[in-house]
Amino acid sequence: SKRRAGAGGARRGLDSHGRPGSREFIREIREQALIAMEMSDLVLLVVDAGRGLLEADRQVADLLRGVDRRRRREEKPPAGPTEEADGGLDGEGEAESEPKAEGELQPHPPRVVIVVNKADNENVRMEAAEFWSLGFGEPLVVSAKHNTGIDQLLEAIAQNIPPVRDASLLYGREDTDVSVALVGRPNVGKSSLVNAILGSERAIVSNVAGTTRDALDTPVLFDAEGDEVATLVNLIDTAGIIKEKKISEQVDRWSIMRTMRSITRAEVAVMVVDGTQSFSPQDAQIANMVLDRGCSLILAVNKWDAVPLDTFDGVRRKVYTKDEYTDWVTHRFPELAKYVPVVFTSARESKGVRRLMPLAVKVHKERRKVIPTSVLTRVIEEYTDECRGLAKTSKDGKKRLSFLFAVQTSNSPPSFEIRFNDASLTTSEFLSGLEARLRDTFGFRGSPIRLKILGRKDK
């Protein structure tokens, strides 16, 4: 199926997961197929020419007609005293609705194209006529194996997708105010958090680890506090990242690659961890991978409602507190104490969820800050004078570290070029303190800072 994704022919596909799976998974797949259909402008109903028309094909066609009927009911205005309440699929009895404003998108039933695949020889192609009975017009006969009929399929897709006039529906980093990716190990509740944020089941949620195989993009218009204009957030739900040695299927390799691409195009990453489990070395590796790619980071400790209770000094409370959990994380991931904000959430109970998007928007604004050169120079000069003792002196004791100038070379993430008389005189302790001073002065909460340290003659 295809969803409108942008003007000028840009398109995005939604895979409704038409494949067998565990019984636990069947209901979620069916619900997601319905959501994909209702979100789509065009549905490609793919059937198997070799197996012929199956009862399952008829059932899917019935589902599509159900989507059609719901769309038509949503389009139709309330019936007046002399109007029939329901005119049926043929449109009889429907009252005329007022014309919509130019450029306003109008609801419509999805177009359906029957794609008869695996038509690998002439005899099989001749049998494709039976799919007319599904009621969606002439089937397109293709063979993906032999690459036949593909041009006709692409032409049908282009003809059946209407133009998009609403720029707010565009996907991608360039067309949204901020891109936010949810990352983490499998089955920590990433998709559940996305669904809680959106208020509907956008991604398939199951206890089966690795449910989300692809990165799923969803645009969300969000009214940030203090902003006159709503913020368009592109919410990216990624596949869980697992250790390389545990990858046994090619599909998991693709999931990891797609997750890496999602992190690269995101500006803010919400790293989701399971609050019922300890913060593992793998969690720390994922967090560092996010920061190494220049992405801002928020830590969401999910499933906080599932942390067991116990009695301490006659008081019933969780076996560990939020402060204790934060201390554990800080031990494995020291950056947390420096600048990474932490939110405790329960996707199941929708607790803490409302804090995530406002915080993501604030973190995004922090990473976009531009510091005037004069202000930056003054702050670093003062720090160098105060903390020169943390730096080294030359072997002969005659040369001490002195600051020359600094400039912000870029933002997103904040990057600075800082020049001293001799870069070799700086120490890790001095530079760590310098980063802390920049954060204390300018903020940059949640964002990594990149410092390029140069000497007088360095290029």
Side-chain angles (χ1 to χ4, degrees):
S1 55
K2 292 285 179 180
R3 177 178 181 176
R4 67 179 86 232
R11 298 290 181 256
R12 176 177 179 273
L14 292 173
D15 185 354
S16 55
H17 301 269
R19 58 180 183 271
S22 65
R23 291 184 178 181
E24 177 185 0
F25 218 19
I26 293 175
R27 181 183 62 83
E28 287 93 341
I29 291 176
R30 183 180 183 278
E31 291 178 357
Q32 277 306 297
L34 284 171
I35 291 174
M37 292 172 188
E38 293 189 339
M39 292 174 64
S40 301
D41 295 313
L42 174 64
V43 175
L44 303 179
L45 177 51
V46 183
V47 295
D48 189 332
R51 300 181 66 185
L53 182 59
L54 304 176
E55 180 59 28
D57 299 328
R58 299 184 189 276
Q59 292 177 4
V60 175
D62 289 341
L63 283 177
L64 286 169
R65 276 185 279 272
V67 172
D68 190 341
R69 285 192 291 272
R70 283 194 295 274
R71 288 272 187 97
R72 289 177 181 270
R73 284 197 297 269
E74 290 171 1
E75 287 181 38
K76 189 166 53 177
T82 61
E83 296 168 345
E84 295 184 22
D86 188 1
L89 285 177
D90 58 2
E92 292 180 5
E94 291 186 7
E96 286 190 15
S97 60
E98 294 183 5
K100 299 208 173 188
E102 179 65 27
E104 183 177 351
L105 292 175
Q106 302 183 32
H108 55 81
R111 297 173 173 87
V112 179
V113 173
I114 304 295
V115 181
V116 185
N117 193 26
K118 300 186 180 180
D120 299 331
N121 59 64
E122 187 61 32
N123 291 334
V124 176
R125 284 192 287 271
M126 294 294 292
E127 298 296 329
E130 64 177 327
F131 292 100
W132 274 89
S133 63
L134 293 177
F136 294 109
E138 181 178 3
L140 285 177
V141 182
V142 304
S143 170
K145 179 179 179 180
H146 299 294
N147 199 31
T148 59
I150 305 302
D151 289 342
Q152 291 81 354
L153 175 59
L154 293 175
E155 184 178 349
I157 292 173
Q159 290 176 349
N160 282 282
I161 295 183
V164 173
R165 297 187 296 270
D166 188 348
S168 69
L169 292 179
L170 296 176
Y171 285 83
R173 185 168 180 173
E174 295 79 12
D175 306 303
T176 52
D177 297 314
V178 53
S179 291
V180 179
L182 274 75
V183 301
R185 292 184 290 116
N187 206 33
V188 294
K190 297 184 296 297
S191 296
S192 297
L193 275 180
V194 171
N195 295 339
I197 292 169
L198 299 178
S200 65
E201 291 195 3
R202 170 63 182 86
I204 299 175
V205 178
S206 171
N207 288 328
V208 180
T211 296
T212 306
R213 294 296 189 186
D214 298 325
L216 307 176
D217 287 29
T218 304
V220 183
L221 273 175
F222 174 77
D223 292 318
E225 184 178 354
D227 289 349
E228 296 181 359
V229 181
T231 302
L232 181 58
V233 177
N234 187 33
L235 199 58
I236 308 169
D237 179 17
T238 65
I241 302 175
I242 60 180
K243 291 183 179 179
E244 183 72 21
K245 67 179 181 181
K246 291 186 178 180
I247 299 174
S248 58
E249 300 178 13
Q250 187 67 24
V251 66
D252 288 323
R253 295 182 185 274
W254 281 108
S255 295
I256 292 178
M257 291 175 62
R258 287 168 177 166
T259 298
M260 295 302 97
R261 286 199 294 267
S262 298
I263 294 173
T264 300
R265 64 190 177 92
E267 295 167 294
V268 179
V270 176
M271 181 179 164
V272 186
V273 298
D274 188 339
T276 66
Q277 302 175 6
S278 63
F279 191 85
S280 68
Q282 187 184 357
D283 290 324
Q285 290 172 5
I286 295 171
N288 283 315
M289 182 170 56
V290 170
L291 296 175
D292 288 344
R293 282 162 174 75
C295 193
S296 296
L297 182 64
I298 297 170
L299 181 66
V301 183
N302 195 31
K303 302 185 181 182
W304 193 247
D305 59 297
V307 175
L309 301 174
D310 204 345
T311 302
F312 298 88
D313 298 327
V315 179
R316 189 76 171 166
R317 68 170 179 84
K318 294 184 181 298
V319 294
Y320 43 83
T321 66
K322 293 179 179 179
D323 287 341
E324 288 172 338
Y325 192 91
T326 301
D327 289 341
W328 295 338
V329 176
T330 303
H331 178 69
R332 290 189 180 272
F333 183 49
E335 283 75 7
L336 177 71
K338 297 179 183 178
Y339 59 89
V340 176
V342 184
V343 179
F344 289 82
T345 64
S346 167
R348 185 172 65 180
E349 298 181 355
S350 295
K351 292 182 178 179
V353 176
R354 292 185 178 180
R355 293 183 57 197
L356 285 176
M357 286 301 99
L359 183 57
V361 172
K362 290 180 180 178
V363 166
H364 177 257
K365 290 180 179 178
E366 288 290 306
R367 73 182 276 112
R368 289 287 189 172
K369 283 182 178 178
V370 176
I371 310 302
T373 300
S374 59
V375 177
L376 179 66
T377 298
R378 175 176 54 79
V379 170
I380 298 179
E381 189 171 30
E382 290 176 355
Y383 171 79
T384 304
D385 291 341
E386 295 171 12
C387 302
R388 189 173 279 110
L390 299 177
K392 296 181 290 187
T393 58
S394 61
K395 292 182 178 180
D396 58 10
K398 295 181 179 180
K399 184 190 292 186
R400 302 183 65 194
L401 183 71
S402 62
F403 167 71
L404 300 180
F405 67 87
V407 63
Q408 183 174 357
T409 55
S410 66
N411 59 3
S412 193
S415 302
F416 303 92
E417 184 177 295
I418 305 173
R419 195 172 291 269
F420 295 94
N421 60 330
D422 188 344
S424 66
L425 298 180
T426 61
T427 63
S428 59
E429 188 178 7
F430 177 86
L431 295 178
S432 180
L434 175 57
E435 179 180 338
R437 177 65 62 88
L438 293 175
R439 292 189 182 280
D440 290 342
T441 306
F442 304 118
F444 303 127
R445 189 184 186 199
S447 177
I449 293 178
R450 291 176 173 170
L451 303 180
K452 184 178 182 181
I453 306 301
L454 298 172
R456 185 189 304 272
K457 298 181 180 179
D458 294 335
K459 294 182 179 180

